[in-house]
């Protein structure tokens, strides 16, 4: 049996700094955008004091921007919804920070509880609504930054009503 450890054989990776990637200041991959959303969600001090509720329309606030991306904070009182839409050429990450939202697509309906995340590609059409009795707050990361939000007129999302809970 060989008693040599991996460090003795290969050397300590921390002693070879040229092999380590420098940490990025801004996200560049889907996983990094999801991580950004999770880190913001976990630190309520970054967003909780900014939240407002508006009974007449969904409230929103641009929380952060970076090279080619935007982070938005939205609040939803009971009954408020987005309408069926897509995000043009933008991809996105939707994270529920507080409360419960319902997402309807042509593939079905999902109930998104606090901590749930949805990742979507350009052209992904959905309707998001607060069907609950309590307000909700969500975080949206768009890459590239959101420049359009085409609305759709289709009953495909309404035809399928089987709700599946989604959690983090």
């Amino acid at each position: 049996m060989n008693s040599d450890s991996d460090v003795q054989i290969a050397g300590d990776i921390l002693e070879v700094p040229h092999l380590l990637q420098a940490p990025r200041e801004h996200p560049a991959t889907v996983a990094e955008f999801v991580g950004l959303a999770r880190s913001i969600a976990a630190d309520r001090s970054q967003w909780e004091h900014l939240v407002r509720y508006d009974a007449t329309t969904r409230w929103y606030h641009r929380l952060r921007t970076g090279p080619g991306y935007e982070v938005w904070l939205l609040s939803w009182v009971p009954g408020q919804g987005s309408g069926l839409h897509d995000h043009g050429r933008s991809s996105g990450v939707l994270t529920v920070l507080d409360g419960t939202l319902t997402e309807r697509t042509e593939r079905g309906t999902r109930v998104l509880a606090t901590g749930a995340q949805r990742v979507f590609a350009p052209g992904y059409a959905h309707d998001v609504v607060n069907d609950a009795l309590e307000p909700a707050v969500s975080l949206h990361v768009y890459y590239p930054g959101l420049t359009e939000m085409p609305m759709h007129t289709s009953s495909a999302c309404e035809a399928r009503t089987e709700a599946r809970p989604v959690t983090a």
Side-chain angles (χ1 to χ4, degrees):
M1 179 151 57
N2 190 344
S3 65
D4 292 335
S5 72
D6 289 341
V7 172
Q8 289 171 321
I9 295 168
D12 187 348
I13 187 113
L14 298 177
E15 294 297 322
V16 191
H18 66 280
L19 295 177
L20 300 175
Q21 289 185 348
R24 286 193 252 250
E25 182 180 352
H26 297 284
T29 66
V30 172
E32 289 171 346
F33 283 111
V34 168
L36 171 65
R38 284 186 180 158
S39 70
I40 293 170
D43 184 0
R44 294 181 75 90
S45 69
Q46 289 189 52
W47 56 268
E48 190 171 42
H49 65 285
L50 299 170
V51 175
R52 304 289 179 265
Y53 297 100
D54 186 331
T56 59
T57 185
R58 281 181 303 132
W59 173 90
Y60 51 90
H61 171 78
R62 188 164 56 188
L63 189 61
R64 183 183 299 180
T65 61
Y69 72 92
E70 298 177 322
V71 180
W72 290 86
L73 186 63
L74 280 75
S75 71
W76 314 70
V77 298
Q80 286 180 338
S82 64
L84 183 60
H85 68 282
D86 69 56
H87 304 91
R89 62 186 192 94
S90 299
S91 295
V93 179
L94 178 154
T95 305
V96 180
L97 302 177
D98 262 337
T100 302
L101 294 172
T102 301
E103 180 190 41
R104 293 181 180 90
T105 69
E106 64 181 14
R107 299 183 69 191
T109 300
R110 285 193 165 94
V111 176
L112 307 172
T114 299
Q117 286 190 302
R118 299 287 293 141
V119 176
F120 51 87
Y124 177 78
H126 65 167
D127 180 16
V128 179
V129 65
N130 181 353
D131 284 334
L133 297 176
E134 299 294 326
V137 180
S138 58
L139 184 81
H140 304 249
V141 181
Y142 298 109
Y143 179 83
L146 194 60
T147 58
E148 59 182 320
M149 198 171 105
M151 300 304 290
H152 296 252
T153 55
S154 171
S155 60
C157 287
E158 298 164 11
R160 300 179 56 126
T161 58
E162 178 184 318
R164 299 182 315 239
V166 176
T167 57

